[in-house]
Amino acid sequence: MGGFEGHLFPGLSLFLYGLYHAALLSRAVICNSPVQYPPRRPWSKGRWARLRQMYYIGFLKILSSCILVAQELNSIHWQLVLITKRHHLRNFMYRKQWQHLTLYMSFFLSGCADVISQNLLPKRCVVLEQCAQALSMYLFLPLMVSHMQDTEGVELQIHTLLIQAMFLLALVGTIELWAPNVLLLWMLKAFLYVVTGSWLMQIGFMLYKPISGYKWLDDDKNDIAFATTFFCWHVVSGAFLMISAYGVTVLWYRYLGADA
C-alpha cells in the first residue's frame, strides 16, 4: 500500500465492502430475516437464469485483489525478487511490497472462499466465508505492525489508529464464528469495515496529497492531535453512513415496493 493509489484503492475496497454489509444488515432487520446472508435462490432453467442467480461479491473481491496486485507490481521499477545476493550476502528485498502482496492474496483467498461457498457447494457454508474473512484480518495486523517499524510522528499515529480499528474488526470476526446470527456483531463488522476503509483512504491524502498543500510535520504536536481528531470524525461519519444505509433500505423495501 505504498503511495497515494496504494492507500486509496484498498481503502475504497474495504469501504464499499462495509457498505455492502450495512445493506445486508438493514435488509435483515426490515425483513425479519434470521440470518444476514441472503438465502440461496432455487436454480431455474434458461440461458441467463444461472447468471442472474449467482452471487457476485466473491468475484468482486477476487477482481479487486487482482487490481491491487497489478497496481503494486506496477509501482516496482525493478524486478520483484525475494532474496538478492550482494557482496556475498543474501538480503531480503522489497519487504513492504511483499507485505502488501501477502495481504492482497489473503483477500483473494477470501473471495475464492465466497465463490466456492455461495455458487459451487450444494449448501452454502457460511463458516468457510467467515473463517476466510477473519484470517485476512489477522494477517493484516502483524503486517501493519511490521510496516510501522520505520515510521514516526504523524505517520506513526495514523497507522496506530488504523491498527486499533483492524484489531477490533478481527476480534468481531472471531466472535462471529461462534455467534453468526447476532445482529449486533454484524452491525459492528459493517461499521468497522466502513471506518477502516475511509481512514485508509484518508491516510493516503494525509501522507501524499494533503488538503492544505503542505506536508504534515512529525515533530508538531498539533498535527498529531489533529490526526487523532480526524479519526474521530471518521468514526462519527461511519455511524452516520450506517444510519443512512438503513434509511435507504427502508425506503427501498417499504415504500418503493422492492421484492425482499
Side-chain angles (χ1 to χ4, degrees), residues 4-73:
F4 174 72
E5 293 81 5
H7 288 82
L8 177 64
F9 296 149
L12 182 61
S13 300
L14 293 174
F15 179 79
L16 294 178
Y17 192 58
L19 290 183
Y20 167 75
H21 278 281
L24 290 182
L25 172 66
S26 301
R27 176 187 178 278
V29 173
I30 295 171
C31 302
N32 295 321
S33 177
V35 292
Q36 291 72 45
Y37 288 99
R40 173 179 285 278
R41 290 160 290 188
W43 296 108
S44 60
K45 297 181 179 180
R47 176 178 297 180
W48 306 107
R50 184 166 184 175
L51 290 178
R52 289 195 300 267
Q53 292 165 334
M54 293 181 67
Y55 295 112
Y56 294 99
I57 185 63
F59 294 104
L60 292 177
K61 291 168 71 173
I62 293 175
L63 177 61
S64 62
S65 300
C66 293
I67 294 175
L68 293 175
V69 170
Q71 184 271 332
E72 189 69 33
L73 295 177

Side-chain angles (χ1 to χ4, degrees), residues 52-109:
R52 289 195 300 267
Q53 292 165 334
M54 293 181 67
Y55 295 112
Y56 294 99
I57 185 63
F59 294 104
L60 292 177
K61 291 168 71 173
I62 293 175
L63 177 61
S64 62
S65 300
C66 293
I67 294 175
L68 293 175
V69 170
Q71 184 271 332
E72 189 69 33
L73 295 177
N74 185 60
S75 65
I76 300 174
H77 301 289
W78 303 99
Q79 183 180 6
L80 180 64
V81 296
L82 181 61
I83 301 176
T84 184
K85 185 177 181 180
R86 292 182 179 180
H87 306 293
H88 305 287
L89 297 175
R90 297 188 181 274
N91 300 322
F92 287 101
M93 299 293 294
Y94 301 108
R95 60 180 180 86
K96 288 190 176 182
Q97 285 77 10
W98 282 110
Q99 289 175 349
H100 300 161
L101 292 175
T102 302
L103 177 62
Y104 299 155
M105 289 306 299
S106 69
F107 293 154
F108 177 84
L109 294 177

Side-chain angles (χ1 to χ4, degrees), residues 203-221:
I203 290 177
F205 282 99
M206 294 176 67
L207 295 181
Y208 302 98
K209 292 186 178 181
I211 299 177
S212 64
Y214 296 93
K215 183 180 179 180
W216 291 68
L217 301 177
D218 292 332
D219 57 350
D220 192 337
K221 295 182 178 179

Side-chain angles (χ1 to χ4, degrees), residues 233-254:
W233 291 353
H234 277 265
V235 173
V236 175
S237 300
F240 177 76
L241 284 175
M242 293 288 294
I243 298 174
S244 300
Y246 179 77
V248 172
T249 307
V250 170
L251 179 65
W252 177 257
Y253 283 111
R254 292 187 178 178

